[in-house]
Amino acid sequence: MSNDAFPLQRKLAELRDASFDVLIIGGGIYGAWAALDAARRGLRTALIDAEDWASGTSSASSKLIHGGLRYLENFEFGLVRHALTERRVLARLAPHVVRPVNFILPVWRGARVGTTRLRAGLMLYDTLAWGRQPVQRHKRYNRERLLHRYPFLAEPGLRGGFRYGDCQEDDARLTMLVVAAAQAAGAVCANHVRADQLIERNGTVVGAELRDQLDGQCWALYARHTVATVGPWVQELVGETAPAVQFVKGTHLVVPGIPHCHAAFLLNAPQDGRVFFVIPFYNRTLVGTTEVSVARPADAQPSAEEIRYLLAAAHAWMPGLSWGESDVIQSFAGIRTLQAQDTNSLSSVTREFEIRHPRPGLTTPIGGKYTTARLDAAEIIDGVAHELGCSQASTTHVEPLPGAPTADNHLGEWIEDAQRQLMAAGLDEDAALQASLRHGTRVERLCARLQDDARLAQRIDAECPFALVEAATAIDEEMAMTPDDVLRRRLPLDLLGRDRQTMRDTIQPLFPR
């Protein structure tokens, strides 16, 4: 994929003056991959979102591309194998964004899952990840080695543990790159465009009534097939024929980074045995997630009870870090939309993906995971293409995403070179490293902007490694229309920074007057 994917442009005139083969409503990770897949098959494709790319659940994840080790307990071997295959594919398509991270899995005396079962599970996890993987196979650590490397762990009862590999990413950033690739393949993409209601003729969905959220203009868009990748808003859009789902809220905390530690941790909350993560993220730490059943998407707000729960769980196993409520920099929550099941345990509700057809001309997916969205979207578009008489197969596994260094480049050396270029242009060392990982081969564009205006090398927030040049690029070239688009999704500053209003005031002059 060349850098011709940018600038990402909001071409409303093309949405108003054309009919489409496929209208995709919802620009999260599923909608983004579906739009790319459909466009590459030669289908005339439109992609819209009522707010911004990844503005819902797709920017409120644990920021991982992983197989889901914990799903082995529920014998969901197919789901885990599916996800591990995609972990390999995504690390190849976007190696600058999807990168390996080591997970540490300590074991204490009396653990719900003992050493023998964990070793068997990790051996199976490695086996299911067939083929060349971006991560190392698991390794066992004794107690002494764990405490030497991670002295903040609870010492009483610690028996040792394991290291295993998965991958990490910036979920909103990756979604935006897939949208940019869809545009480059011919899709017409526009954020801040709401589908007020579906249009039907003779019982068949033939498009939607749209409204520009920025200026209020309304129009009808017609398409041969409509795909509603709207997650928890499926009932609001589809109405009484919407599939039965249940909403599960997951909350994360953002707390200070752990000094000299680049590993993530998989732990069990002592309160109820539930799995949670402690993950490094842009010099901060994510702690999460919870699982709480809620009635509606608007309930995706962290509660005081959840914050106390996560802090207590982390403190039980990592007392040396002493995180308290005053250390919580930010918190955020997302909604998972899962298949409705009669079970008392939310952890046992399947994450398996399912395609539904609530009305003729309309497809909507239920369940699934961020990691498996590309392959699941290919299955969605397989059905749409068959209905529309298109025989072209999916090719989204072939061409790298925008900014990906070529296979000829050794990634580590490439990143070092890109970082040097950005530092020479004025960025500080950490901001240069993060910009190279986020923009990939587009760092030359950042360097050119810095040469034109050296003031853009200034950080937006002194504690966070993001410079004004990234905000300016987001506004001019990445379809960021509002401060929230910039600070929550093109950059994760709303998650990492302490003073949201000051950050907004800092970037406001960059917007067109």
Side-chain angles (χ1 to χ4, degrees):
M1 170 62 63
S2 73
N3 289 328
D4 293 342
F6 292 94
L8 187 55
Q9 297 176 313
R10 189 172 183 262
K11 298 180 179 178
L12 292 184
E14 293 188 23
L15 283 182
R16 294 189 177 104
D17 298 333
S19 59
F20 291 85
D21 296 316
V22 186
L23 167 61
I24 298 170
I25 303 172
I29 192 62
Y30 272 81
W33 278 119
L36 175 57
D37 198 308
R40 285 191 179 167
R41 298 190 203 211
L43 297 171
R44 178 69 171 156
T45 303
L47 172 66
I48 62 168
D49 193 280
E51 294 186 39
D52 185 29
W53 315 125
S55 60
T57 306
S58 293
S59 60
S61 75
S62 297
K63 325 298 183 190
L64 297 175
I65 299 295
H66 66 132
L69 179 64
R70 69 188 181 94
Y71 301 136
L72 293 178
E73 280 197 86
N74 297 331
F75 306 105
E76 295 186 88
F77 303 130
L79 175 63
V80 175
R81 183 174 59 249
H82 187 51
L84 289 171
T85 299
E86 281 302 284
R87 186 183 70 184
R88 182 181 71 248
V89 172
L90 295 173
R92 174 175 53 80
L93 295 181
H96 57 313
V97 178
V98 179
R99 301 182 301 278
V101 61
N102 283 327
F103 271 85
I104 304 301
L105 208 169
V107 182
W108 283 271
R109 187 180 300 112
R112 181 176 59 84
V113 180
T115 301
T116 301
R117 283 181 63 194
L118 280 176
R119 174 181 284 178
L122 288 167
M123 290 177 64
L124 178 58
Y125 200 64
D126 288 339
T127 301
L128 291 172
W130 61 274
R132 185 177 180 181
Q133 287 287 337
V135 303
Q136 298 174 306
R137 297 177 68 86
H138 84 276
K139 182 177 182 179
R140 186 172 181 179
Y141 286 166
N142 62 28
R143 166 190 167 88
E144 291 72 25
R145 190 172 184 184
L146 272 187
L147 287 175
H148 175 72
R149 290 195 173 194
Y150 313 109
F152 46 81
L153 292 174
E155 294 188 36
L158 181 65
R159 302 179 61 184
F162 298 89
R163 182 216 71 209
Y164 73 96
D166 260 319
C167 285
Q168 184 175 32
E169 42 73 43
D170 182 329
D171 49 11
R173 184 80 190 170
L174 182 56
T175 302
M176 188 275 295
L177 291 179
V178 180
V179 173
Q183 175 190 259
V188 179
C189 308
N191 56 0
H192 298 283
V193 174
R194 178 183 179 84
D196 281 336
Q197 63 181 16
L198 300 174
I199 301 172
E200 287 192 19
R201 286 180 183 165
N202 301 320
T204 298
V205 174
V206 294
E209 296 285 350
L210 306 186
R211 174 160 47 91
D212 185 344
Q213 300 275 66
L214 301 181
D215 67 12
Q217 293 188 34
C218 299
W219 70 97
L221 186 149
Y222 294 95
R224 297 167 65 196
H225 197 95
T226 300
V227 178
T229 51
V230 293
W233 293 272
V234 62
Q235 292 172 327
E236 178 183 327
L237 178 66
V238 178
E240 60 183 16
T241 60
V245 297
Q246 61 187 110
F247 302 140
V248 179
K249 179 179 66 167
T251 290
H252 292 82
L253 310 182
V254 181
V255 293
I258 304 174
H260 313 297
C261 179
H262 303 290
F265 295 81
L266 178 66
L267 304 166
N268 289 92
Q271 301 98 314
D272 54 15
R274 195 184 172 281
V275 168
F276 71 101
F277 297 121
V278 175
I279 306 169
F281 187 65
Y282 290 120
N283 303 335
R284 305 291 200 200
T285 304
L286 299 183
V287 181
T289 179
T290 60
E291 285 192 328
V292 178
S293 183
V294 294
R296 54 189 185 140
D299 296 328
Q301 301 295 330
S303 69
E305 181 181 0
E306 288 175 301
I307 292 171
R308 289 192 293 268
Y309 166 91
L310 289 171
L311 287 172
H315 182 73
W317 304 126
M318 297 176 158
L321 298 176
S322 302
W323 287 323
E325 290 190 38
S326 63
D327 295 302
V328 177
I329 297 167
Q330 300 292 350
S331 60
F332 63 95
I335 296 285
R336 304 180 189 94
T337 307
L338 305 179
Q339 299 176 33
Q341 290 181 258
D342 186 14
T343 176
N344 293 325
S345 171
L346 292 177
S347 295
S348 66
V349 177
T350 183
R351 270 61 175 172
E352 289 283 4
F353 168 76
E354 186 173 337
I355 298 173
R356 302 287 184 88
H357 304 282
R359 302 184 205 172
L362 176 65
T363 296
T364 185
I366 299 298
K369 297 171 77 241
Y370 192 103
T371 298
T372 59
R374 186 204 64 83
L375 197 53
D376 293 342
E379 185 178 346
I380 294 171
I381 302 304
D382 280 344
V384 173
H386 177 76
E387 179 179 319
L388 300 183
C390 172
S391 60
Q392 178 69 44
S394 176
T395 60
T396 55
H397 62 291
V398 176
E399 195 170 350
L401 291 177
T406 66
D408 296 333
N409 293 323
H410 185 278
L411 184 62
E413 294 176 359
W414 183 90
I415 291 171
E416 290 179 4
D417 182 63
Q419 183 183 18
R420 283 194 294 268
Q421 290 183 54
L422 288 165
M423 290 175 65
L427 293 191
D428 65 77
E429 182 177 6
D430 199 10
L433 172 61
Q434 299 303 336
S436 66
L437 295 173
R438 295 165 54 74
H439 292 265
T441 57
R442 298 187 68 238
V443 296
E444 293 181 1
R445 177 63 182 147
L446 298 185
C447 289
R449 295 186 75 117
L450 288 166
Q451 289 172 0
D452 291 339
D453 187 350
R455 293 171 298 179
L456 295 177
Q458 173 189 335
R459 285 194 179 198
I460 300 168
D461 180 281
E463 294 185 6
C464 302
F466 308 106
L468 281 168
V469 67
E470 287 199 73
T473 301
I475 294 165
D476 295 343
E477 302 182 15
E478 296 175 352
M479 208 187 294
M481 309 303 294
T482 71
D484 279 350
D485 295 349
V486 176
L487 296 175
R488 179 63 178 86
R489 290 171 288 275
R490 304 303 180 276
L491 301 166
L493 276 164
D494 268 354
L495 301 182
L496 306 173
R498 300 176 190 271
D499 189 342
R500 291 177 172 176
Q501 187 55 54
T502 296
M503 291 188 293
R504 275 157 177 71
D505 293 343
T506 300
I507 69 166
Q508 190 61 52
L510 299 174
F511 282 91
R513 295 186 182 277

